[in-house]
Amino acid sequence: QVQLVESGGGLVQAGGSLRLSCAASGSIFSINAMGWYRLAPGKQRELVASVTRGGFTNYVDSVKGRFTISSISRDNAKNTVYLQMNSLKPEDTAVYYCKADVYGIDYWGKGTLVTVSS
C-alpha cells in the first residue's frame, strides 16, 4: 500500500510559477514510477509528466520546456516527488493528481487545485 498526498496548488497569474509536491508513504520502496496527471473542467484527465525509478521522464507536449518533474529518490527519507511549473498559462488550470505505479497497481492522491488567471 502506498499513500500519496499532494500540496502546493493555488492561484497564480499567467507567467508565474508553482511547485507541486507529492509526499509518498507506505511501501515506497516498491514504487516503479510516479506521474502527475491533471483534470480540467470539461476535459479528460491527461498525463502531464512522469518519471521512472530509473530516471526516465516523459511530458505531454503542452508542458515541455515549462514543467519539470523530479526524480524518485532512493532515499526512503526523501519520499517526495515534485512538479516544478513555470510560465504557467490559463489552460494549465486543473486539479493535479499524483499517481504511483507499484508493480502494475496504481495509487492516487486526492489532488491539488491549480488556478492560473489571465
Side-chain angles (χ1 to χ4, degrees):
Q1 291 270 346
V2 172
Q3 295 79 41
L4 304 172
V5 178
E6 303 98 333
S7 62
L11 174 64
V12 64
Q13 289 188 333
S17 298
L18 284 174
R19 188 178 75 161
L20 304 184
S21 302
C22 175
S25 60
S27 302
I28 59 175
F29 58 88
S30 300
I31 294 175
N32 295 325
M34 295 189 72
W36 284 96
Y37 289 73
R38 64 187 178 187
L39 181 61
K43 296 185 179 180
Q44 292 187 329
R45 184 178 62 191
E46 69 172 348
L47 172 64
V48 176
S50 63
V51 60
T52 68
R53 176 70 69 177
F56 293 101
T57 59
N58 183 48
Y59 297 90
V60 67
D61 286 346
S62 62
V63 308
K64 287 180 179 177
R66 300 189 297 123
F67 291 11
T68 304
I69 189 169
S70 67
S71 60
I72 299 174
S73 174
R74 290 181 172 84
D75 184 346
N76 285 342
K78 300 177 181 178
N79 53 4
T80 301
V81 171
Y82 301 96
L83 182 68
Q84 179 66 44
M85 306 187 297
N86 298 328
S87 302
L88 283 161
K89 304 176 181 180
E91 51 264 43
D92 294 318
T93 295
V95 177
Y96 285 71
Y97 298 89
C98 179
K99 189 194 83 170
D101 172 9
V102 180
Y103 298 121
I105 298 174
D106 293 336
Y107 294 88
W108 293 87
K110 293 184 177 181
T112 185
L113 176 63
V114 172
T115 303
V116 184
S117 63
S118 57

PDB file of all heavy atoms in Angstrom, residues 28-67:
ATOM      1  N   ILE A  28       6.999   2.618  -0.141  1.00  0.00           N
ATOM      2  CA  ILE A  28       7.556   3.478  -1.188  1.00  0.00           C
ATOM      3  C   ILE A  28       8.719   2.834  -1.912  1.00  0.00           C
ATOM      4  O   ILE A  28       9.024   3.203  -3.049  1.00  0.00           O
ATOM      5  CB  ILE A  28       7.967   4.850  -0.616  1.00  0.00           C
ATOM      6  CG1 ILE A  28       9.002   4.684   0.492  1.00  0.00           C
ATOM      7  CG2 ILE A  28       6.755   5.610  -0.132  1.00  0.00           C
ATOM      8  CD1 ILE A  28       9.542   6.000   1.004  1.00  0.00           C
ATOM      9  N   PHE A  29       9.365   1.860  -1.297  1.00  0.00           N
ATOM     10  CA  PHE A  29      10.475   1.187  -1.969  1.00  0.00           C
ATOM     11  C   PHE A  29       9.973   0.359  -3.151  1.00  0.00           C
ATOM     12  O   PHE A  29      10.751  -0.062  -3.997  1.00  0.00           O
ATOM     13  CB  PHE A  29      11.215   0.280  -0.983  1.00  0.00           C
ATOM     14  CG  PHE A  29      10.323  -0.765  -0.350  1.00  0.00           C
ATOM     15  CD1 PHE A  29      10.128  -2.002  -0.954  1.00  0.00           C
ATOM     16  CD2 PHE A  29       9.661  -0.504   0.837  1.00  0.00           C
ATOM     17  CE1 PHE A  29       9.302  -2.953  -0.389  1.00  0.00           C
ATOM     18  CE2 PHE A  29       8.838  -1.439   1.418  1.00  0.00           C
ATOM     19  CZ  PHE A  29       8.650  -2.673   0.807  1.00  0.00           C
ATOM     20  N   SER A  30       8.670   0.115  -3.228  1.00  0.00           N
ATOM     21  CA  SER A  30       8.077  -0.673  -4.310  1.00  0.00           C
ATOM     22  C   SER A  30       7.602   0.175  -5.483  1.00  0.00           C
ATOM     23  O   SER A  30       7.075  -0.361  -6.455  1.00  0.00           O
ATOM     24  CB  SER A  30       6.885  -1.484  -3.776  1.00  0.00           C
ATOM     25  OG  SER A  30       7.295  -2.368  -2.755  1.00  0.00           O
ATOM     26  N   ILE A  31       7.769   1.473  -5.388  1.00  0.00           N
ATOM     27  CA  ILE A  31       7.280   2.358  -6.447  1.00  0.00           C
ATOM     28  C   ILE A  31       8.178   2.249  -7.674  1.00  0.00           C
ATOM     29  O   ILE A  31       9.384   2.456  -7.592  1.00  0.00           O
ATOM     30  CB  ILE A  31       7.219   3.816  -5.966  1.00  0.00           C
ATOM     31  CG1 ILE A  31       6.166   3.962  -4.861  1.00  0.00           C
ATOM     32  CG2 ILE A  31       6.891   4.746  -7.129  1.00  0.00           C
ATOM     33  CD1 ILE A  31       6.126   5.348  -4.237  1.00  0.00           C
ATOM     34  N   ASN A  32       7.599   1.909  -8.819  1.00  0.00           N
ATOM     35  CA  ASN A  32       8.328   1.809 -10.078  1.00  0.00           C
ATOM     36  C   ASN A  32       8.362   3.130 -10.833  1.00  0.00           C
ATOM     37  O   ASN A  32       9.338   3.439 -11.522  1.00  0.00           O
ATOM     38  CB  ASN A  32       7.699   0.758 -10.979  1.00  0.00           C
ATOM     39  CG  ASN A  32       7.809  -0.632 -10.408  1.00  0.00           C
ATOM     40  OD1 ASN A  32       8.792  -0.974  -9.760  1.00  0.00           O
ATOM     41  ND2 ASN A  32       6.786  -1.445 -10.623  1.00  0.00           N
ATOM     42  N   ALA A  33       7.275   3.869 -10.746  1.00  0.00           N
ATOM     43  CA  ALA A  33       7.174   5.124 -11.481  1.00  0.00           C
ATOM     44  C   ALA A  33       6.152   6.012 -10.786  1.00  0.00           C
ATOM     45  O   ALA A  33       5.266   5.524 -10.071  1.00  0.00           O
ATOM     46  CB  ALA A  33       6.752   4.878 -12.930  1.00  0.00           C
ATOM     47  N   MET A  34       6.297   7.300 -11.017  1.00  0.00           N
ATOM     48  CA  MET A  34       5.323   8.248 -10.485  1.00  0.00           C
ATOM     49  C   MET A  34       4.975   9.235 -11.579  1.00  0.00           C
ATOM     50  O   MET A  34       5.780   9.510 -12.478  1.00  0.00           O
ATOM     51  CB  MET A  34       5.867   8.964  -9.256  1.00  0.00           C
ATOM     52  CG  MET A  34       6.101   8.033  -8.094  1.00  0.00           C
ATOM     53  SD  MET A  34       6.498   8.878  -6.564  1.00  0.00           S
ATOM     54  CE  MET A  34       4.909   9.602  -6.137  1.00  0.00           C
ATOM     55  N   GLY A  35       3.774   9.749 -11.488  1.00  0.00           N
ATOM     56  CA  GLY A  35       3.338  10.680 -12.503  1.00  0.00           C
ATOM     57  C   GLY A  35       2.406  11.736 -11.950  1.00  0.00           C
ATOM     58  O   GLY A  35       1.811  11.558 -10.877  1.00  0.00           O
ATOM     59  N   TRP A  36       2.347  12.824 -12.664  1.00  0.00           N
ATOM     60  CA  TRP A  36       1.388  13.893 -12.370  1.00  0.00           C
ATOM     61  C   TRP A  36       0.364  13.926 -13.500  1.00  0.00           C
ATOM     62  O   TRP A  36       0.730  13.951 -14.684  1.00  0.00           O
ATOM     63  CB  TRP A  36       2.092  15.237 -12.273  1.00  0.00           C
ATOM     64  CG  TRP A  36       2.843  15.434 -10.998  1.00  0.00           C
ATOM     65  CD1 TRP A  36       4.169  15.208 -10.785  1.00  0.00           C
ATOM     66  CD2 TRP A  36       2.309  15.895  -9.760  1.00  0.00           C
ATOM     67  NE1 TRP A  36       4.496  15.489  -9.487  1.00  0.00           N
ATOM     68  CE2 TRP A  36       3.369  15.926  -8.827  1.00  0.00           C
ATOM     69  CE3 TRP A  36       1.041  16.286  -9.336  1.00  0.00           C
ATOM     70  CZ2 TRP A  36       3.196  16.334  -7.510  1.00  0.00           C
ATOM     71  CZ3 TRP A  36       0.878  16.697  -8.032  1.00  0.00           C
ATOM     72  CH2 TRP A  36       1.946  16.718  -7.126  1.00  0.00           C
ATOM     73  N   TYR A  37      -0.889  13.914 -13.134  1.00  0.00           N
ATOM     74  CA  TYR A  37      -1.995  13.998 -14.078  1.00  0.00           C
ATOM     75  C   TYR A  37      -2.803  15.245 -13.721  1.00  0.00           C
ATOM     76  O   TYR A  37      -2.712  15.768 -12.618  1.00  0.00           O
ATOM     77  CB  TYR A  37      -2.899  12.773 -13.971  1.00  0.00           C
ATOM     78  CG  TYR A  37      -2.282  11.496 -14.490  1.00  0.00           C
ATOM     79  CD1 TYR A  37      -1.278  10.850 -13.779  1.00  0.00           C
ATOM     80  CD2 TYR A  37      -2.710  10.928 -15.688  1.00  0.00           C
ATOM     81  CE1 TYR A  37      -0.710   9.679 -14.261  1.00  0.00           C
ATOM     82  CE2 TYR A  37      -2.153   9.751 -16.166  1.00  0.00           C
ATOM     83  CZ  TYR A  37      -1.158   9.142 -15.445  1.00  0.00           C
ATOM     84  OH  TYR A  37      -0.600   7.984 -15.915  1.00  0.00           O
ATOM     85  N   ARG A  38      -3.604  15.671 -14.690  1.00  0.00           N
ATOM     86  CA  ARG A  38      -4.488  16.796 -14.380  1.00  0.00           C
ATOM     87  C   ARG A  38      -5.847  16.580 -15.025  1.00  0.00           C
ATOM     88  O   ARG A  38      -5.969  15.919 -16.064  1.00  0.00           O
ATOM     89  CB  ARG A  38      -3.883  18.124 -14.837  1.00  0.00           C
ATOM     90  CG  ARG A  38      -3.693  18.281 -16.333  1.00  0.00           C
ATOM     91  CD  ARG A  38      -2.924  19.575 -16.618  1.00  0.00           C
ATOM     92  NE  ARG A  38      -2.676  19.764 -18.047  1.00  0.00           N
ATOM     93  CZ  ARG A  38      -1.916  20.727 -18.546  1.00  0.00           C
ATOM     94  NH1 ARG A  38      -1.317  21.600 -17.727  1.00  0.00           N
ATOM     95  NH2 ARG A  38      -1.743  20.834 -19.848  1.00  0.00           N
ATOM     96  N   LEU A  39      -6.834  17.176 -14.366  1.00  0.00           N
ATOM     97  CA  LEU A  39      -8.206  17.094 -14.844  1.00  0.00           C
ATOM     98  C   LEU A  39      -8.791  18.502 -14.825  1.00  0.00           C
ATOM     99  O   LEU A  39      -8.920  19.120 -13.762  1.00  0.00           O
ATOM    100  CB  LEU A  39      -9.037  16.163 -13.950  1.00  0.00           C
ATOM    101  CG  LEU A  39     -10.482  15.981 -14.358  1.00  0.00           C
ATOM    102  CD1 LEU A  39     -10.590  15.368 -15.742  1.00  0.00           C
ATOM    103  CD2 LEU A  39     -11.221  15.102 -13.335  1.00  0.00           C
ATOM    104  N   ALA A  40      -9.081  18.986 -16.016  1.00  0.00           N
ATOM    105  CA  ALA A  40      -9.666  20.315 -16.149  1.00  0.00           C
ATOM    106  C   ALA A  40     -11.151  20.175 -16.450  1.00  0.00           C
ATOM    107  O   ALA A  40     -11.586  19.166 -17.024  1.00  0.00           O
ATOM    108  CB  ALA A  40      -8.964  21.082 -17.265  1.00  0.00           C
ATOM    109  N   PRO A  41     -11.942  21.183 -16.092  1.00  0.00           N
ATOM    110  CA  PRO A  41     -13.386  21.112 -16.354  1.00  0.00           C
ATOM    111  C   PRO A  41     -13.678  20.881 -17.829  1.00  0.00           C
ATOM    112  O   PRO A  41     -13.117  21.558 -18.705  1.00  0.00           O
ATOM    113  CB  PRO A  41     -13.888  22.489 -15.905  1.00  0.00           C
ATOM    114  CG  PRO A  41     -12.895  22.941 -14.896  1.00  0.00           C
ATOM    115  CD  PRO A  41     -11.574  22.416 -15.375  1.00  0.00           C
ATOM    116  N   GLY A  42     -14.515  19.910 -18.106  1.00  0.00           N
ATOM    117  CA  GLY A  42     -14.907  19.635 -19.473  1.00  0.00           C
ATOM    118  C   GLY A  42     -13.886  18.887 -20.307  1.00  0.00           C
ATOM    119  O   GLY A  42     -14.084  18.683 -21.504  1.00  0.00           O
ATOM    120  N   LYS A  43     -12.802  18.482 -19.663  1.00  0.00           N
ATOM    121  CA  LYS A  43     -11.749  17.772 -20.394  1.00  0.00           C
ATOM    122  C   LYS A  43     -11.472  16.424 -19.748  1.00  0.00           C
ATOM    123  O   LYS A  43     -11.851  16.169 -18.615  1.00  0.00           O
ATOM    124  CB  LYS A  43     -10.468  18.604 -20.422  1.00  0.00           C
ATOM    125  CG  LYS A  43     -10.593  19.917 -21.167  1.00  0.00           C
ATOM    126  CD  LYS A  43      -9.249  20.621 -21.256  1.00  0.00           C
ATOM    127  CE  LYS A  43      -9.350  21.919 -22.026  1.00  0.00           C
ATOM    128  NZ  LYS A  43      -8.037  22.616 -22.124  1.00  0.00           N
ATOM    129  N   GLN A  44     -10.791  15.584 -20.511  1.00  0.00           N
ATOM    130  CA  GLN A  44     -10.398  14.287 -19.974  1.00  0.00           C
ATOM    131  C   GLN A  44      -9.108  14.432 -19.165  1.00  0.00           C
ATOM    132  O   GLN A  44      -8.301  15.325 -19.408  1.00  0.00           O
ATOM    133  CB  GLN A  44     -10.203  13.285 -21.111  1.00  0.00           C
ATOM    134  CG  GLN A  44     -11.482  12.901 -21.828  1.00  0.00           C
ATOM    135  CD  GLN A  44     -11.260  11.788 -22.835  1.00  0.00           C
ATOM    136  OE1 GLN A  44     -10.196  11.665 -23.418  1.00  0.00           O
ATOM    137  NE2 GLN A  44     -12.282  10.958 -23.027  1.00  0.00           N
ATOM    138  N   ARG A  45      -8.948  13.521 -18.240  1.00  0.00           N
ATOM    139  CA  ARG A  45      -7.716  13.510 -17.459  1.00  0.00           C
ATOM    140  C   ARG A  45      -6.550  13.223 -18.383  1.00  0.00           C
ATOM    141  O   ARG A  45      -6.634  12.357 -19.270  1.00  0.00           O
ATOM    142  CB  ARG A  45      -7.788  12.444 -16.377  1.00  0.00           C
ATOM    143  CG  ARG A  45      -6.591  12.403 -15.433  1.00  0.00           C
ATOM    144  CD  ARG A  45      -6.803  11.349 -14.368  1.00  0.00           C
ATOM    145  NE  ARG A  45      -6.906  10.015 -14.937  1.00  0.00           N
ATOM    146  CZ  ARG A  45      -7.298   8.951 -14.248  1.00  0.00           C
ATOM    147  NH1 ARG A  45      -7.663   9.085 -12.974  1.00  0.00           N
ATOM    148  NH2 ARG A  45      -7.352   7.772 -14.843  1.00  0.00           N
ATOM    149  N   GLU A  46      -5.462  13.945 -18.204  1.00  0.00           N
ATOM    150  CA  GLU A  46      -4.295  13.718 -19.046  1.00  0.00           C
ATOM    151  C   GLU A  46      -3.032  13.612 -18.205  1.00  0.00           C
ATOM    152  O   GLU A  46      -2.920  14.219 -17.130  1.00  0.00           O
ATOM    153  CB  GLU A  46      -4.128  14.843 -20.075  1.00  0.00           C
ATOM    154  CG  GLU A  46      -3.743  16.192 -19.506  1.00  0.00           C
ATOM    155  CD  GLU A  46      -3.397  17.211 -20.585  1.00  0.00           C
ATOM    156  OE1 GLU A  46      -3.235  16.850 -21.754  1.00  0.00           O
ATOM    157  OE2 GLU A  46      -3.273  18.396 -20.205  1.00  0.00           O
ATOM    158  N   LEU A  47      -2.111  12.827 -18.725  1.00  0.00           N
ATOM    159  CA  LEU A  47      -0.806  12.713 -18.094  1.00  0.00           C
ATOM    160  C   LEU A  47      -0.017  13.981 -18.387  1.00  0.00           C
ATOM    161  O   LEU A  47       0.127  14.366 -19.539  1.00  0.00           O
ATOM    162  CB  LEU A  47      -0.053  11.494 -18.631  1.00  0.00           C
ATOM    163  CG  LEU A  47       1.400  11.356 -18.207  1.00  0.00           C
ATOM    164  CD1 LEU A  47       1.514  11.149 -16.706  1.00  0.00           C
ATOM    165  CD2 LEU A  47       2.065  10.204 -18.955  1.00  0.00           C
ATOM    166  N   VAL A  48       0.497  14.606 -17.360  1.00  0.00           N
ATOM    167  CA  VAL A  48       1.292  15.810 -17.519  1.00  0.00           C
ATOM    168  C   VAL A  48       2.777  15.459 -17.586  1.00  0.00           C
ATOM    169  O   VAL A  48       3.503  15.903 -18.474  1.00  0.00           O
ATOM    170  CB  VAL A  48       1.034  16.786 -16.358  1.00  0.00           C
ATOM    171  CG1 VAL A  48       1.938  18.011 -16.469  1.00  0.00           C
ATOM    172  CG2 VAL A  48      -0.429  17.186 -16.317  1.00  0.00           C
ATOM    173  N   ALA A  49       3.233  14.667 -16.621  1.00  0.00           N
ATOM    174  CA  ALA A  49       4.644  14.303 -16.554  1.00  0.00           C
ATOM    175  C   ALA A  49       4.784  13.023 -15.744  1.00  0.00           C
ATOM    176  O   ALA A  49       3.989  12.781 -14.837  1.00  0.00           O
ATOM    177  CB  ALA A  49       5.476  15.412 -15.914  1.00  0.00           C
ATOM    178  N   SER A  50       5.792  12.243 -16.090  1.00  0.00           N
ATOM    179  CA  SER A  50       6.038  11.020 -15.342  1.00  0.00           C
ATOM    180  C   SER A  50       7.534  10.784 -15.241  1.00  0.00           C
ATOM    181  O   SER A  50       8.318  11.297 -16.051  1.00  0.00           O
ATOM    182  CB  SER A  50       5.346   9.820 -15.993  1.00  0.00           C
ATOM    183  OG  SER A  50       5.873   9.590 -17.282  1.00  0.00           O
ATOM    184  N   VAL A  51       7.905   9.982 -14.250  1.00  0.00           N
ATOM    185  CA  VAL A  51       9.312   9.638 -14.054  1.00  0.00           C
ATOM    186  C   VAL A  51       9.364   8.205 -13.553  1.00  0.00           C
ATOM    187  O   VAL A  51       8.539   7.790 -12.732  1.00  0.00           O
ATOM    188  CB  VAL A  51       9.995  10.610 -13.065  1.00  0.00           C
ATOM    189  CG1 VAL A  51       9.320  10.593 -11.703  1.00  0.00           C
ATOM    190  CG2 VAL A  51      11.481  10.291 -12.926  1.00  0.00           C
ATOM    191  N   THR A  52      10.329   7.441 -14.076  1.00  0.00           N
ATOM    192  CA  THR A  52      10.504   6.072 -13.627  1.00  0.00           C
ATOM    193  C   THR A  52      11.587   6.009 -12.560  1.00  0.00           C
ATOM    194  O   THR A  52      12.352   6.966 -12.365  1.00  0.00           O
ATOM    195  CB  THR A  52      10.912   5.161 -14.793  1.00  0.00           C
ATOM    196  OG1 THR A  52      12.242   5.515 -15.227  1.00  0.00           O
ATOM    197  CG2 THR A  52       9.947   5.293 -15.956  1.00  0.00           C
ATOM    198  N   ARG A  53      11.664   4.859 -11.907  1.00  0.00           N
ATOM    199  CA  ARG A  53      12.702   4.668 -10.900  1.00  0.00           C
ATOM    200  C   ARG A  53      14.084   4.839 -11.529  1.00  0.00           C
ATOM    201  O   ARG A  53      15.022   5.301 -10.868  1.00  0.00           O
ATOM    202  CB  ARG A  53      12.548   3.264 -10.290  1.00  0.00           C
ATOM    203  CG  ARG A  53      13.623   2.876  -9.294  1.00  0.00           C
ATOM    204  CD  ARG A  53      13.522   3.642  -8.009  1.00  0.00           C
ATOM    205  NE  ARG A  53      12.368   3.289  -7.217  1.00  0.00           N
ATOM    206  CZ  ARG A  53      12.125   3.824  -6.011  1.00  0.00           C
ATOM    207  NH1 ARG A  53      12.958   4.707  -5.502  1.00  0.00           N
ATOM    208  NH2 ARG A  53      11.037   3.470  -5.321  1.00  0.00           N
ATOM    209  N   GLY A  54      14.196   4.492 -12.801  1.00  0.00           N
ATOM    210  CA  GLY A  54      15.471   4.626 -13.494  1.00  0.00           C
ATOM    211  C   GLY A  54      15.786   6.032 -13.974  1.00  0.00           C
ATOM    212  O   GLY A  54      16.864   6.278 -14.516  1.00  0.00           O
ATOM    213  N   GLY A  55      14.829   6.940 -13.776  1.00  0.00           N
ATOM    214  CA  GLY A  55      15.099   8.326 -14.119  1.00  0.00           C
ATOM    215  C   GLY A  55      14.574   8.788 -15.468  1.00  0.00           C
ATOM    216  O   GLY A  55      14.813   9.930 -15.874  1.00  0.00           O
ATOM    217  N   PHE A  56      13.880   7.913 -16.171  1.00  0.00           N
ATOM    218  CA  PHE A  56      13.321   8.329 -17.465  1.00  0.00           C
ATOM    219  C   PHE A  56      12.090   9.190 -17.224  1.00  0.00           C
ATOM    220  O   PHE A  56      11.231   8.858 -16.427  1.00  0.00           O
ATOM    221  CB  PHE A  56      12.956   7.105 -18.296  1.00  0.00           C
ATOM    222  CG  PHE A  56      14.146   6.308 -18.736  1.00  0.00           C
ATOM    223  CD1 PHE A  56      14.495   5.140 -18.079  1.00  0.00           C
ATOM    224  CD2 PHE A  56      14.930   6.722 -19.806  1.00  0.00           C
ATOM    225  CE1 PHE A  56      15.606   4.399 -18.463  1.00  0.00           C
ATOM    226  CE2 PHE A  56      16.040   5.984 -20.198  1.00  0.00           C
ATOM    227  CZ  PHE A  56      16.376   4.835 -19.526  1.00  0.00           C
ATOM    228  N   THR A  57      12.038  10.290 -17.950  1.00  0.00           N
ATOM    229  CA  THR A  57      10.921  11.209 -17.803  1.00  0.00           C
ATOM    230  C   THR A  57      10.128  11.322 -19.097  1.00  0.00           C
ATOM    231  O   THR A  57      10.651  11.081 -20.192  1.00  0.00           O
ATOM    232  CB  THR A  57      11.404  12.608 -17.381  1.00  0.00           C
ATOM    233  OG1 THR A  57      12.323  13.104 -18.372  1.00  0.00           O
ATOM    234  CG2 THR A  57      12.079  12.555 -16.029  1.00  0.00           C
ATOM    235  N   ASN A  58       8.889  11.719 -18.943  1.00  0.00           N
ATOM    236  CA  ASN A  58       8.005  11.905 -20.089  1.00  0.00           C
ATOM    237  C   ASN A  58       7.080  13.074 -19.781  1.00  0.00           C
ATOM    238  O   ASN A  58       6.622  13.219 -18.641  1.00  0.00           O
ATOM    239  CB  ASN A  58       7.182  10.633 -20.341  1.00  0.00           C
ATOM    240  CG  ASN A  58       6.308  10.768 -21.565  1.00  0.00           C
ATOM    241  OD1 ASN A  58       6.750  11.198 -22.621  1.00  0.00           O
ATOM    242  ND2 ASN A  58       5.028  10.415 -21.418  1.00  0.00           N
ATOM    243  N   TYR A  59       6.841  13.900 -20.811  1.00  0.00           N
ATOM    244  CA  TYR A  59       5.991  15.079 -20.637  1.00  0.00           C
ATOM    245  C   TYR A  59       4.982  15.171 -21.770  1.00  0.00           C
ATOM    246  O   TYR A  59       5.303  14.830 -22.926  1.00  0.00           O
ATOM    247  CB  TYR A  59       6.824  16.364 -20.633  1.00  0.00           C
ATOM    248  CG  TYR A  59       7.823  16.471 -19.504  1.00  0.00           C
ATOM    249  CD1 TYR A  59       9.119  15.977 -19.652  1.00  0.00           C
ATOM    250  CD2 TYR A  59       7.468  17.056 -18.284  1.00  0.00           C
ATOM    251  CE1 TYR A  59      10.037  16.061 -18.618  1.00  0.00           C
ATOM    252  CE2 TYR A  59       8.388  17.157 -17.244  1.00  0.00           C
ATOM    253  CZ  TYR A  59       9.664  16.658 -17.419  1.00  0.00           C
ATOM    254  OH  TYR A  59      10.565  16.755 -16.396  1.00  0.00           O
ATOM    255  N   VAL A  60       3.811  15.660 -21.467  1.00  0.00           N
ATOM    256  CA  VAL A  60       2.865  15.993 -22.529  1.00  0.00           C
ATOM    257  C   VAL A  60       3.422  17.202 -23.281  1.00  0.00           C
ATOM    258  O   VAL A  60       4.094  18.064 -22.698  1.00  0.00           O
ATOM    259  CB  VAL A  60       1.471  16.284 -21.933  1.00  0.00           C
ATOM    260  CG1 VAL A  60       1.467  17.545 -21.102  1.00  0.00           C
ATOM    261  CG2 VAL A  60       0.421  16.322 -23.027  1.00  0.00           C
ATOM    262  N   ASP A  61       3.176  17.260 -24.562  1.00  0.00           N
ATOM    263  CA  ASP A  61       3.790  18.289 -25.402  1.00  0.00           C
ATOM    264  C   ASP A  61       3.507  19.703 -24.898  1.00  0.00           C
ATOM    265  O   ASP A  61       4.365  20.589 -24.974  1.00  0.00           O
ATOM    266  CB  ASP A  61       3.296  18.164 -26.848  1.00  0.00           C
ATOM    267  CG  ASP A  61       3.920  16.983 -27.570  1.00  0.00           C
ATOM    268  OD1 ASP A  61       4.914  16.438 -27.064  1.00  0.00           O
ATOM    269  OD2 ASP A  61       3.396  16.607 -28.635  1.00  0.00           O
ATOM    270  N   SER A  62       2.327  19.915 -24.363  1.00  0.00           N
ATOM    271  CA  SER A  62       1.928  21.270 -23.985  1.00  0.00           C
ATOM    272  C   SER A  62       2.708  21.839 -22.809  1.00  0.00           C
ATOM    273  O   SER A  62       2.665  23.042 -22.560  1.00  0.00           O
ATOM    274  CB  SER A  62       0.427  21.298 -23.678  1.00  0.00           C
ATOM    275  OG  SER A  62       0.138  20.442 -22.591  1.00  0.00           O
ATOM    276  N   VAL A  63       3.433  20.996 -22.069  1.00  0.00           N
ATOM    277  CA  VAL A  63       4.187  21.492 -20.912  1.00  0.00           C
ATOM    278  C   VAL A  63       5.688  21.357 -21.092  1.00  0.00           C
ATOM    279  O   VAL A  63       6.458  21.788 -20.217  1.00  0.00           O
ATOM    280  CB  VAL A  63       3.755  20.788 -19.603  1.00  0.00           C
ATOM    281  CG1 VAL A  63       2.251  20.855 -19.429  1.00  0.00           C
ATOM    282  CG2 VAL A  63       4.255  19.348 -19.545  1.00  0.00           C
ATOM    283  N   LYS A  64       6.114  20.784 -22.185  1.00  0.00           N
ATOM    284  CA  LYS A  64       7.557  20.614 -22.407  1.00  0.00           C
ATOM    285  C   LYS A  64       8.259  21.966 -22.401  1.00  0.00           C
ATOM    286  O   LYS A  64       7.818  22.911 -23.036  1.00  0.00           O
ATOM    287  CB  LYS A  64       7.806  19.879 -23.728  1.00  0.00           C
ATOM    288  CG  LYS A  64       7.470  18.404 -23.677  1.00  0.00           C
ATOM    289  CD  LYS A  64       7.740  17.718 -25.016  1.00  0.00           C
ATOM    290  CE  LYS A  64       7.415  16.229 -24.943  1.00  0.00           C
ATOM    291  NZ  LYS A  64       7.612  15.554 -26.253  1.00  0.00           N
ATOM    292  N   GLY A  65       9.364  22.015 -21.680  1.00  0.00           N
ATOM    293  CA  GLY A  65      10.109  23.257 -21.564  1.00  0.00           C
ATOM    294  C   GLY A  65       9.611  24.174 -20.464  1.00  0.00           C
ATOM    295  O   GLY A  65      10.276  25.164 -20.132  1.00  0.00           O
ATOM    296  N   ARG A  66       8.451  23.850 -19.893  1.00  0.00           N
ATOM    297  CA  ARG A  66       7.895  24.680 -18.815  1.00  0.00           C
ATOM    298  C   ARG A  66       7.814  23.937 -17.485  1.00  0.00           C
ATOM    299  O   ARG A  66       7.996  24.544 -16.430  1.00  0.00           O
ATOM    300  CB  ARG A  66       6.496  25.166 -19.199  1.00  0.00           C
ATOM    301  CG  ARG A  66       6.448  25.998 -20.466  1.00  0.00           C
ATOM    302  CD  ARG A  66       5.076  26.636 -20.659  1.00  0.00           C
ATOM    303  NE  ARG A  66       4.016  25.651 -20.837  1.00  0.00           N
ATOM    304  CZ  ARG A  66       2.928  25.577 -20.068  1.00  0.00           C
ATOM    305  NH1 ARG A  66       2.776  26.412 -19.049  1.00  0.00           N
ATOM    306  NH2 ARG A  66       1.993  24.655 -20.312  1.00  0.00           N
ATOM    307  N   PHE A  67       7.514  22.660 -17.540  1.00  0.00           N
ATOM    308  CA  PHE A  67       7.352  21.850 -16.327  1.00  0.00           C
ATOM    309  C   PHE A  67       8.524  20.888 -16.193  1.00  0.00           C
ATOM    310  O   PHE A  67       9.059  20.385 -17.190  1.00  0.00           O
ATOM    311  CB  PHE A  67       6.063  21.025 -16.383  1.00  0.00           C
ATOM    312  CG  PHE A  67       4.788  21.818 -16.288  1.00  0.00           C
ATOM    313  CD1 PHE A  67       4.772  23.198 -16.378  1.00  0.00           C
ATOM    314  CD2 PHE A  67       3.584  21.158 -16.092  1.00  0.00           C
ATOM    315  CE1 PHE A  67       3.590  23.918 -16.298  1.00  0.00           C
ATOM    316  CE2 PHE A  67       2.386  21.850 -16.012  1.00  0.00           C
ATOM    317  CZ  PHE A  67       2.396  23.235 -16.120  1.00  0.00           C
TER     318      PHE A  67
END
